[in-house]
Structures are given as structure tokens and as C-alpha cells.
Amino acid sequence: MTETTRSARLMDGKALAQRLVAEAATGAAQLRERTGTAPCLATVLVGDDPASETYVRMKRNRCAKAGITSRHVPLPASLSTGELVERVSELSQDPGVHGILLQHPVGPHIDERAAFEAIAPEKDVDGVTLSSFAAMSFGLPGFVSCTPGGILRLLDQYEVDLAGKHAVVVGRSAILGKPAGMLLLERNATVTYCHSRTRDLSAYMRDADVLIAAVGRPRFVAGADIKPGAVVIDAGSNPGNVGDVDFETARERARLITPVPGGVGPMTIATLLTQTVQAAARQLAVA
Ligand code: NAP
């Protein structure tokens, strides 16, 4: 193994996210000064799942620190799809709300897609509607899903050249793996999606110039799965602050790698805040 591949450089998502949140805070303050209105994010939480409560609280705390107002809408787990759609539609029509975050999951008896689709596209700062997804796939302006958007921003920060590179995305969820691959494709990477039915997964991973782990299994990607000199993005967030990549062995092979915590996680929230300020600026017609 060469000196350059012995220990990867860390991609510091925490530091970049702090900068982006500071920029969002400046944008929010300017908006408030020019229009008398601060950006407002509505957070909709169905039920009392402790993990979801924590995520929403974290997002609201970050909003508060950035001068973004948040309007919390806690709803009972017994809510019907129709009732949830109605509440989300009200927020979509409310001129005092500029962005809407509907925390996933909403409960097995609710049609989550119907609830997401009640979010007006111009307020879809979490990038969950079909309209946002379509815009992203066509390379048109719109709000991107926050975690993939944060990953691309991080790759840009570290000047990772994506054109012609083989990007392998392990995971194909609608909020993470699939859009991450589409954003990489938009940047002219050659993209391979891997998933639970992929045969000889390790062979694909070992051929990746850029490897995105979005599996939801602790330390799933081992150092031996990584091509020496690859860029490794660990989107995993498993209990105990453990990623989907075995960091210690992976860093011996990778050129650049995201830590967990402090890599992709903070970038997700930073993207949410950035998009909320952008949404408010457009709705207040000062963009
Ligand atoms: P998900 O919906 O459960 O999707 C997991 C994906 O991994 C699926 O596409 C699945 O394949 C694939 N997979 C599962 N086992 C596999 C295996 N043995 N081999 C190959 N592929 C396999 O999860 P998600 O919502 O995308 O989240 C993935 C991870 O990212 C989780 O750790 C989550 O906590 C984390 N995450 C982090 C953030 C953040 O802000 N940092 C945000 C969102 C998610 P199939 O499609 O074939 O089932």
C-alpha cells in the first residue's frame, strides 16, 4: 500500500455544515430586514416515535439558531390519511409558512405518499414530492432530497471530479440512494446502483472511484471492499453513531472519507435550512 492511501483525508461535513448554516442565517436575517418576515419551516410530526421526535427537535433547534422560525405541528398517531392530507394542505396554502417538513415515518395505516403530495412544490424544502423528484431527474431547478443534496455539496467542497468516474451507490431508497445516484449521473459520473439483490456486491464496490454507502447496516462496507484511492461517502446512521462503513479499515484504502458522526449527517440539516431560506426568498419575491 502506498503512503497516499494509508490514511484517508477526512471530509469534514460538520465544518462545512456550520459554514452553510451561517450563510443561511445571514440570508434569513437579510430577508427579515427587507420584508419584516423571517423564513418559517413547519415541522409535522405524526405520533410519538422517540427517534422522530429527536430528529424534529434537532432540526427545530438548528432553525432557531439560524433565525428561521419553526412552526411545530404534532399530530396524534391515530390520524387518518385524509386528516393528515388536510393539515398538510392547510400549511401549503398558509402564506406564513415557507417550507414544510413532514417527518418520516408517519405510521403504517397512513398513505405517506398522499401526505407528501399535499406539500406544495415551492414549499417542499425536504425534496419529497414527485414534482421535486421529477425536476431533479430532468436536471431542472427544484428542491433536492436533503441527504443526497448534502452529499453532492460535500463532494464539491473537496473538489471531487465526478465526470467519467465510476460511482457506486449501495442502496436505492427514494430519499437517499436513488436520488444520490441521479445527482451523480447529472454530473456525468457512470453510476451503478447496488441493492439487496445485487450479485457479487463486493466486486462492484471494489471498482468504485466514488462509493456511496446508504444501506442502513452497521459497518457493512469493509476496507477490503474499497478500491485504493477511492472517495467513500458513508450516509449510514445506525444506533450508537455507527455508519455503514467500517471506518478504521476503510480509511486505510480510501483517499477521502466521511466520518460518522460529523460527515453526511450535519450536511442533511444544513441543506434543509439552506433550502428553507431559498423557499422563503422566492415566496417573499426577493430572490
Ligand atoms: P432503506 O430505505 O432501508 O434502504 C436501504 C437500502 O439498502 C435498500 O435499497 C436495500 O436494498 C439496501 N440493502 C439492504 N441490505 C442490503 C444488502 N445486504 N446488500 C445490498 N444492499 C442492501 O434506508 P435509507 O432510508 O436509504 O437509509 C440508509 C442509511 O442511511 C440508514 O443508515 C439511515 O439511517 C441513513 N440515513 C442517514 C441520513 C442522514 O441524514 N445522515 C438520512 C437518511 C438516511 P433493497 O432496495 O433491495 O431492499
Side-chain angles (χ1 to χ4, degrees):
M1 197 174 292
T2 66
E3 189 62 34
T4 48
T5 60
R6 191 159 291 152
S7 192
R9 185 176 168 210
L10 292 189
M11 300 173 86
D12 190 344
K14 193 174 167 193
L16 176 56
Q18 273 168 2
R19 288 227 320 270
L20 295 177
V21 171
E23 281 171 25
T26 305
Q30 284 170 350
L31 262 184
R32 198 208 294 261
E33 215 175 278
R34 287 157 73 180
T35 66
T37 306
C40 174
L41 175 71
T43 56
V44 182
L45 177 64
V46 181
D48 53 7
D49 172 56
S52 294
E53 281 178 345
T54 305
Y55 291 140
V56 169
R57 194 167 44 244
M58 268 168 55
K59 289 166 188 170
R60 297 189 67 219
N61 286 344
R62 294 292 160 79
C63 279
K65 283 186 185 151
I68 297 171
T69 310
S70 63
R71 188 189 300 176
H72 189 45
V73 184
L75 297 168
S78 57
L79 198 78
S80 69
T81 297
E83 286 166 330
L84 179 57
V85 165
E86 203 180 313
R87 293 307 301 271
V88 175
S89 301
E90 282 165 14
L91 295 169
S92 286
Q93 284 153 25
D94 186 336
V97 168
H98 307 112
I100 300 171
L101 171 95
L102 171 58
Q103 183 65 40
H104 160 89
V106 291
H109 65 291
I110 293 178
D111 178 350
E112 187 173 77
R113 179 48 41 203
F116 280 149
E117 291 310 309
I119 300 174
E122 67 273 18
K123 298 188 181 183
D124 182 20
V125 292
D126 204 23
V128 293
T129 60
L130 294 179
S131 166
S132 297
F133 199 87
M136 180 197 60
S137 10
F138 280 93
L140 294 171
F143 293 121
V144 293
S145 184
C146 291
T147 305
I151 289 172
L152 264 290
R153 182 66 185 79
L154 198 50
L155 288 167
D156 286 344
Q157 184 66 24
Y158 285 83
E159 296 178 344
V160 175
D161 180 18
L162 295 167
K165 298 288 162 35
H166 186 198
V168 174
V169 184
V170 189
R172 55 174 169 176
S173 72
I175 57 148
L176 179 44
K178 203 175 279 179
M182 290 166 75
L183 292 172
L184 291 162
L185 183 65
E186 188 64 26
R187 300 293 195 83
N188 298 318
T190 301
V191 179
T192 301
Y193 284 103
C194 297
H195 46 78
S196 64
R197 311 280 184 90
T198 300
R199 289 188 199 158
D200 203 1
L201 174 63
S202 198
Y204 287 106
M205 294 196 285
R206 282 197 307 272
D207 191 53
D209 301 307
V210 177
L211 179 63
I212 315 281
V215 196
R217 292 179 178 235
R219 300 190 185 91
F220 182 79
V221 178
D225 295 322
I226 291 165
K227 180 176 174 176
V231 176
V232 177
I233 303 289
D234 186 351
S237 169
N238 303 294
N241 261 338
V242 178
D244 287 350
V245 174
D246 182 39
F247 183 78
E248 289 309 325
T249 56
R251 73 182 307 185
E252 290 174 13
R253 304 258 289 201
R255 173 172 73 86
L256 283 168
I257 189 168
T258 58
V260 176
V264 172
M267 290 300 297
T268 300
I269 296 188
T271 306
L272 176 72
L273 300 196
T274 300
Q275 296 197 140
T276 300
V277 174
Q278 286 169 352
R282 282 178 206 153
Q283 286 159 55
L284 296 165
V286 292

